[in-house]
Amino acid sequence: MMSSWKDNIRSVVPYTPGEQPNQPHMIKLNTNENPYPPAPEVKSVLDGFDPDKLRLYPDPKAQALVDALAQYYHVGADQVFVGVGSDDVLSIAFLTFFNSDKPIFFPDITYSFYPVWADVYKIPYETKPLGEHFEIHAEDYAAPNGGVIFPNPNAPTSRYEDLSVVEEIIKANRDSVVIVDEAYIDFAGPSALSLVPKYDNLLVVQTFSKSRSMAGMRIGYAIGQPELIKAMNDVHYSINSYTMSRLAIELGVCAVKSEDYFKQCIEKIKATRTWTVEQLKDLGFEFAAEPSANFIFAAHPKYPAEALFTALRKANIYVRYFNTGRISNYLRITVGTDEEMHRLIEFLKTYKN
């Protein structure tokens, strides 16, 4: 006799995270982590952290971190939501704002967690096809919907959309919430944060995982009008009041204040990205969009991406390969240190199919 409880299991196709290999002398360019350590001030706070604090619950409001972010971005503390990485923040946002019978919209080539959250929370959705150069067509998002979300720059394409495109989408959707996922914005152009004062339906989500070198600490945040943030906090406190650890809060506050180091790391990564793109072009690689994140999305007309991915892996160089549709001949390559990228290019120069 079959157990009837199995009929009530929620069945979903889960998100597949990037591989986390642990090999000696490997070059890890597959999960868009920052190749540089957090700010020295962060290490100092970590070294001096009192472990006795860990026996106590953290502040459920994470007020110190909220206040630091509010001061940094010149917004009110009631306009900031923090969570355990931007994935946590986005998940809460899906649960909070996408409750219409109408489908939410997001690009057909984008962060692959979006359809997973939609399935988990039983949210109908439609994907909108990107253009020939992986661009978003704002007019595709003007139809009735239950919400809109897209990354800028997009993942995995590394394409950045001008704020005029972003604003066109927001203006066309005043009756639904538009979420701009800016995990990689610090490596690109202006942020949609400048539009928050104008639009009460805009939520901008960012993270400490990329430009602030703290992927292992899991800190993400959202900025929007107070009504949006209150709604997210109401849902958040209905699930788990103590999500941000005491250590994450303290280190996060320190990271926000380490402005000079933060900017230096960004400039180093952008310079390395420029050099790597030029080297890849010399080797015949092509880009459907100008790389604007801390990763490069590249294809070679002669060498299949899957074969390159396999060969690189055997050489202990890890990149990301998505074997799906239009992007099946592309590799996503995180921008590492200068030494790591030199080793990547040297391998590709000697590669024979």
Side-chain angles (χ1 to χ4, degrees):
M1 181 177 178
M2 294 292 291
S3 299
S4 59
W5 60 264
K6 293 182 179 179
D7 297 334
N8 298 318
I9 294 176
R10 187 182 297 273
S11 178
V12 295
V13 178
Y15 170 74
T16 302
E19 184 181 7
Q20 291 293 332
N22 187 21
Q23 303 294 330
H25 312 298
M26 70 178 181
I27 299 177
K28 189 173 184 297
L29 307 174
N30 67 324
T31 50
N32 299 340
E33 294 142 325
N34 196 308
Y36 302 107
E41 295 87 349
V42 172
K43 183 180 185 304
S44 297
V45 171
L46 181 61
D47 290 343
F49 185 80
D50 181 4
D52 186 57
K53 294 179 180 179
L54 296 179
R55 65 183 180 82
L56 302 172
Y57 283 113
D59 174 11
K61 295 182 179 179
Q63 197 65 51
L65 181 56
V66 166
D67 289 344
L69 287 165
Q71 183 177 2
Y72 182 81
Y73 288 110
H74 306 291
V75 298
D78 59 353
Q79 291 184 259
V80 180
F81 176 92
V82 298
V84 186
S86 59
D87 285 344
D88 178 47
V89 175
L90 290 166
S91 177
I92 292 291
F94 266 65
L95 194 58
T96 304
F97 301 120
F98 295 162
N99 291 295
S100 169
D101 292 333
K102 299 174 184 175
I104 64 170
F105 294 163
F106 50 81
D108 62 337
I109 301 171
T110 193
Y111 186 29
S112 55
F113 227 139
Y114 297 163
V116 174
W117 285 316
D119 286 342
V120 167
Y121 297 136
K122 306 300 183 185
I123 301 167
Y125 67 90
E126 290 180 12
T127 60
K128 301 299 179 179
L130 297 177
E132 179 183 358
H133 301 291
F134 295 141
E135 73 275 14
I136 287 176
H137 292 152
E139 61 270 21
D140 290 344
Y141 296 82
N145 63 72
V148 174
I149 183 169
F150 58 92
N152 196 33
N154 197 7
T157 66
S158 195
R159 181 187 173 97
Y160 170 77
E161 297 293 350
D162 188 82
L163 278 189
S164 62
V165 176
V166 175
E167 185 166 17
E168 185 177 348
I169 293 172
I170 299 166
K171 289 171 67 175
N173 290 282
R174 296 309 303 271
D175 293 331
S176 57
V177 173
V178 177
I179 301 174
V180 184
D181 181 356
E182 292 189 337
Y184 303 99
I185 193 64
D186 293 316
F187 308 101
S191 166
L193 286 171
S194 63
L195 300 175
V196 167
K198 294 176 63 176
Y199 299 101
D200 61 0
N201 63 321
L202 170 62
L203 188 77
V204 179
V205 178
Q206 295 189 11
T207 178
F208 282 48
S209 295
K210 314 302 180 184
S211 53
R212 294 193 184 273
S213 306
M214 296 180 72
M217 200 72 257
R218 313 309 299 126
I219 303 173
Y221 56 99
I223 295 177
Q225 291 296 330
E227 190 172 1
L228 295 181
I229 302 305
K230 181 184 183 302
M232 289 183 70
N233 275 318
D234 287 347
V235 171
H236 165 221
Y237 297 142
S238 300
I239 297 172
N240 185 349
S241 298
Y242 300 108
T243 55
M244 295 292 297
S245 73
R246 282 177 167 267
L247 183 58
I249 292 169
E250 287 199 27
L251 297 186
V253 170
C254 183
V256 172
K257 295 177 179 179
S258 304
E259 178 73 0
D260 289 343
Y261 181 84
F262 166 67
K263 289 183 176 178
Q264 289 168 13
C265 281
I266 290 172
E267 291 308 313
K268 282 197 292 187
I269 290 169
K270 289 167 69 174
T272 304
R273 180 183 70 194
T274 298
W275 179 87
T276 305
V277 167
E278 291 304 315
Q279 294 296 311
L280 290 172
K281 286 180 179 177
D282 289 345
L283 292 172
F285 282 87
E286 298 174 348
F287 314 88
E290 184 68 25
S292 299
N294 69 332
F295 60 88
I296 297 163
F297 202 54
H300 200 288
K302 182 178 178 182
Y303 302 120
E306 187 171 14
L308 279 169
F309 170 78
T310 302
L312 285 162
R313 203 172 190 278
K314 288 180 180 178
N316 230 8
I317 302 173
Y318 292 84
V319 298
R320 194 80 189 264
Y321 172 59
F322 300 90
N323 186 15
T324 179
R326 287 174 58 193
I327 61 174
S328 61
N329 199 42
Y330 283 84
L331 294 177
R332 194 192 70 185
I333 306 167
T334 303
V335 177
T337 63
D338 287 344
E339 179 185 358
E340 289 172 331
M341 305 316 285
H342 277 275
R343 287 176 60 186
L344 169 73
I345 295 300
E346 288 305 311
F347 175 87
L348 293 174
K349 284 180 178 178
T350 61
Y351 175 74
K352 304 292 183 183
N353 193 7

